[in-house]
Amino acid sequence: MGCENNTVDLQEVEDASRLKRNSINTRDSHPQRPKVEGWKTFAQDTTLHGARFFSTDNVFRRFVWIAAVSGCAFFCIYQVYSFLGHYYERPFGTTITVDIRDDNTDLPFPAVTLCNFNALDKRRYINYYLTHNYSKEILDKKLQDLVLMIRRSKAVSTEEVRNRTPELFYRPEVGDETEMSQWMFGHQIERMLLPNSPRFSSCSINGLQCNEDNFTSSLSAVGFKCYTFNSAEEGGLLLKASLAGRLSGLSLRLNIERDSYITNLLSPAVGIVILIHDQKIYPPVEEFGIAIQPGMSTFCAIKRRKIINLKKPYATNCRSGSLMFDSNLTYTKQACMINCRNDYMIKECGCTASKFQANRPIPVCSVNDSILCAFPSYVKFGTSQERTECEKECREPCEHVEYRTSFSYSGLQKDAYIEHFMSILNDNATSAMELEMYRPLLNMTEEEKEKFIDKNIISLDIFFEDLSVEIIEQKPVFEIWALTGNLGGTFGLFLGMSVLTFLEFFDFIFRRILHLFKAREKNRHFT
């Protein structure tokens, strides 16, 4: 019996061993697919709040949690849509701050451009042609031609007028302003500044005397001869203000030479027009300047203002750089529009203002062109397609400096000015030019002298209201960090999700897809 039992046991062991070997061989010949994490396991482990209840045994509880999480998810998707829409509207706000200067920091004094309302000085025109032996009869006719042209009369477009007054029809091939009638016969700053004396200065800045050498001359876009104080051109020193108030500002005492005006019904203003601006910009003084009348004392308080705009994709879509016609000047919208208007004038008149020639092979407009063609073309430009296209191209500058101005007025002490002129006329050191200009006062009555002051004399004081700088800056309301914060707050509050939660879902989906691809490859291999 013992032998039989041992024989049975050995047989059973051999059978078990054989089955084990067969099982191992079967697994080796048919490998099983590796298990991958399922949704139920992932829902138990993810940091998404409520997901672990999706597989609970209680059906009602499962339904409530699925509905709650789905509702929160849909709300978050709606918020994402709203936030992105608001973000791509690119909203911005404007902040106004005041930069208080240090006690030892001076503020750059602005450039001041001024033009006499009278484009051509009648007295200089007469004196010039008298010295060239023109008869009084011819000179009277030339003046009549000039008056008709300024009034934009078609009567000047005759061969007789062209032969008698050729200087009004002369088109320089290059912008040599010294050869142009507007330059030759415009008012001179040395004549407009009143005579100085030990007790009287016609030009002073920061309490120090200045003169015509502190002014640079130029022709405006419409042919007026203008002068800029403190332009800092040609290596000139930029003047600064160390104190606020009238005592440290610019003081000018000017004579507009009213008797030299040519009667002009289309622009019957007298006095000067001024523009206070930064040295780096083009001054459109005729379009945007401020009129200063004679017979008054004018106080102009200024405040420096710096404006900073946003670039694309914000609605301002600001533009930076220099001007096309002058690389030394920074871009401004006003100068860009004036340049477009000049291009339209080139198309209409076949000539350009000297300021905008910029080495182009286009002749400079004559006086005749400026008056009879340029001004009408400006009106036409305002309703043209070119102006509409130019408005799109001429965007706001990204950064520029401007000056806010406020004016106050008072009368003049006429007797003080009369006393000054009388002392000048009795001074042996008085120049011939000053004697020529003011000698007629000797034969005037007191009433006539006061009338002369009212008609001719301007007192102008320009000074800083204070030395702080007002900064107006556009700033984005909804930047990318704000978008991220809003989205993170919404997802965190309603779903408890963070960036890492999204990564968990991406990791799970990636592993599931990778598993499917591997399974397909193995099935294809064994078939």
Side-chain angles (χ1 to χ4, degrees):
M1 288 293 293
C3 293
E4 291 178 358
N5 289 336
N6 290 336
T7 302
V8 171
D9 291 340
L10 290 171
Q11 187 67 34
E12 288 178 352
V13 170
E14 290 177 358
D15 291 341
S17 177
R18 185 168 57 251
L19 288 173
K20 185 175 181 180
R21 287 195 301 270
N22 291 337
S23 175
I24 292 172
N25 292 334
T26 302
R27 287 199 301 268
D28 292 341
S29 59
H30 299 286
Q32 294 181 350
R33 297 177 185 175
K35 291 185 177 180
V36 70
E37 182 183 21
W39 166 250
K40 185 175 181 180
T41 304
F42 174 76
Q44 293 292 331
D45 295 336
T46 183
T47 55
L48 174 65
H49 290 189
R52 67 181 184 273
F53 299 111
F54 288 178
S55 57
T56 183
D57 294 335
N58 189 314
V59 177
F60 177 75
R61 189 182 183 197
R62 185 190 310 172
F63 172 77
V64 169
W65 276 104
I66 290 175
V69 173
S70 299
C72 290
F74 280 119
F75 177 78
C76 288
I77 292 172
Y78 172 75
Q79 288 295 92
V80 169
Y81 174 79
S82 300
F83 288 149
L84 288 176
H86 187 47
Y87 175 76
Y88 283 107
E89 287 176 356
R90 303 293 181 178
F92 60 85
T94 302
T95 62
I96 301 177
T97 57
V98 177
D99 179 16
I100 306 297
R101 315 294 291 184
D102 297 333
D103 293 338
N104 58 350
T105 304
D106 295 338
L107 196 63
F109 198 82
V112 180
T113 297
L114 61 93
C115 312
N116 199 309
F117 272 118
N118 184 51
L120 296 178
D121 184 344
K122 184 170 67 175
R123 182 187 290 115
R124 296 192 70 230
Y125 189 83
I126 292 172
N127 290 341
Y128 177 84
Y129 285 103
L130 283 176
T131 58
H132 286 72
N133 299 320
Y134 278 72
S135 66
K136 188 177 184 306
E137 180 183 3
I138 294 296
L139 188 54
D140 288 341
K141 288 183 179 180
K142 288 172 72 68
L143 281 172
Q144 190 177 27
D145 296 338
L146 187 57
V147 170
L148 290 174
M149 184 170 290
I150 288 177
R151 294 180 178 181
R152 303 181 199 173
S153 171
K154 298 295 183 181
V156 298
S157 301
T158 63
E159 196 64 28
E160 179 185 358
V161 173
R162 186 179 293 270
N163 292 332
R164 183 169 56 229
T165 320
E167 65 272 12
L168 301 182
F169 298 85
Y170 171 64
R171 279 184 170 186
E173 291 299 322
V174 295
D176 185 3
E177 296 174 334
T178 60
E179 298 295 327
M180 301 175 67
S181 296
Q182 300 98 309
W183 189 273
M184 293 174 62
F185 304 121
H187 288 269
Q188 305 295 302
I189 189 64
E190 56 267 25
R191 293 175 64 91
M192 292 176 64
L193 288 171
L194 297 185
N196 292 318
S197 73
R199 294 179 298 172
F200 181 90
S201 178
S202 60
C203 178
S204 65
I205 177 73
N206 293 329
L208 302 175
Q209 185 170 311
C210 50
N211 54 39
E212 63 271 12
D213 295 333
N214 295 98
F215 293 82
T216 56
S217 54
S218 62
L219 282 182
S220 69
V222 295
F224 282 78
K225 189 173 184 180
C226 300
Y227 299 92
T228 302
F229 177 84
N230 196 31
S231 66
E233 288 184 2
E234 300 175 356
L237 182 65
L238 178 64
L239 300 174
K240 296 184 178 182
S242 55
L243 294 172
R246 189 166 65 91
L247 296 180
S248 60
L250 172 65
S251 297
L252 295 176
R253 309 294 180 255
L254 303 170
N255 180 356
I256 66 168
E257 302 179 280
R258 179 68 180 84
D259 292 338
S260 294
Y261 273 46
I262 295 175
T263 305
N264 183 5
L265 293 176
L266 295 175
S267 180
V270 297
I272 62 172
V273 57
I274 69 166
L275 187 67
I276 299 168
H277 58 93
D278 187 67
Q279 283 80 7
K280 297 179 181 179
I281 71 168
Y282 170 74
V285 61
E286 307 92 338
E287 287 86 353
F288 304 101
I290 300 166
I292 306 295
Q293 70 183 68
M296 299 286 290
S297 179
T298 302
F299 293 164
C300 176
I302 60 176
K303 188 173 182 65
R304 186 179 175 95
R305 174 185 291 170
K306 185 177 183 180
I307 300 174
I308 303 172
N309 296 314
L310 288 172
K311 296 182 179 180
K312 192 176 182 180
Y314 293 92
T316 312
N317 188 17
C318 69
R319 178 177 167 184
S320 58
S322 59
L323 294 176
M324 291 179 61
F325 58 88
D326 193 336
S327 59
N328 294 320
L329 298 177
T330 55
Y331 167 85
T332 63
K333 181 176 181 177
Q334 294 171 345
C336 179
M337 290 295 297
I338 292 173
N339 189 45
C340 289
R341 188 184 68 184
N342 187 76
D343 289 341
Y344 186 82
M345 183 189 73
I346 292 173
K347 185 176 72 173
E348 293 287 312
C349 307
C351 63
T352 178
S354 61
K355 183 68 69 177
F356 304 98
Q357 194 174 30
N359 298 320
R360 292 185 289 183
I362 303 169
V364 178
C365 292
S366 65
V367 177
N368 173 68
D369 296 319
S370 299
I371 294 176
L372 297 186
C373 185
F375 287 106
S377 74
Y378 294 163
V379 177
K380 291 173 65 178
F381 173 74
T383 57
S384 66
Q385 181 63 29
E386 285 86 346
R387 185 202 65 81
T388 304
E389 295 173 357
C390 189
E391 284 281 1
K392 298 176 182 178
E393 179 66 22
C394 295
R395 305 182 297 273
E396 290 293 333
C398 291
E399 184 175 320
H400 69 286
V401 172
E402 65 180 27
Y403 290 88
R404 189 191 68 191
T405 59
S406 58
F407 289 85
S408 58
Y409 306 90
S410 70
L412 292 177
Q413 288 192 26
K414 300 174 188 177
D415 51 349
Y417 279 96
I418 293 172
E419 179 183 343
H420 171 64
F421 290 136
M422 293 300 104
S423 65
I424 290 296
L425 292 171
N426 293 323
D427 189 348
N428 294 330
T430 303
S431 68
M433 180 191 71
E434 293 168 344
L435 288 174
E436 174 204 348
M437 291 182 64
Y438 299 104
R439 186 179 286 117
L441 287 168
L442 294 172
N443 299 321
M444 292 182 184
T445 64
E446 287 300 312
E447 184 178 351
E448 290 172 335
K449 292 174 183 176
E450 291 184 358
K451 189 175 181 180
F452 174 87
I453 303 298
D454 283 333
K455 289 174 58 179
N456 292 278
I457 306 305
I458 285 177
S459 175
L460 174 62
D461 292 274
I462 301 172
F463 53 90
F464 276 108
E465 181 180 315
D466 59 62
L467 295 185
S468 64
V469 179
E470 189 177 71
I471 301 175
I472 301 175
E473 183 176 5
Q474 293 180 349
K475 290 188 175 180
V477 171
F478 207 55
E479 294 184 287
I480 188 66
W481 59 266
L483 175 65
T484 304
N486 284 341
L487 293 178
T490 300
F491 279 98
L493 177 64
F494 289 92
L495 294 172
M497 294 181 69
S498 67
V499 174
L500 296 180
T501 307
F502 283 103
L503 291 178
E504 290 175 2
F505 276 87
F506 290 144
D507 176 69
F508 173 72
I509 294 170
F510 175 76
R511 286 186 291 112
R512 295 288 296 185
I513 294 173
L514 186 63
H515 174 71
L516 290 175
F517 274 106
K518 287 183 177 180
R520 286 182 182 179
E521 289 294 326
K522 289 178 180 178
N523 289 334
R524 193 176 303 162
H525 176 72
F526 289 110
T527 57

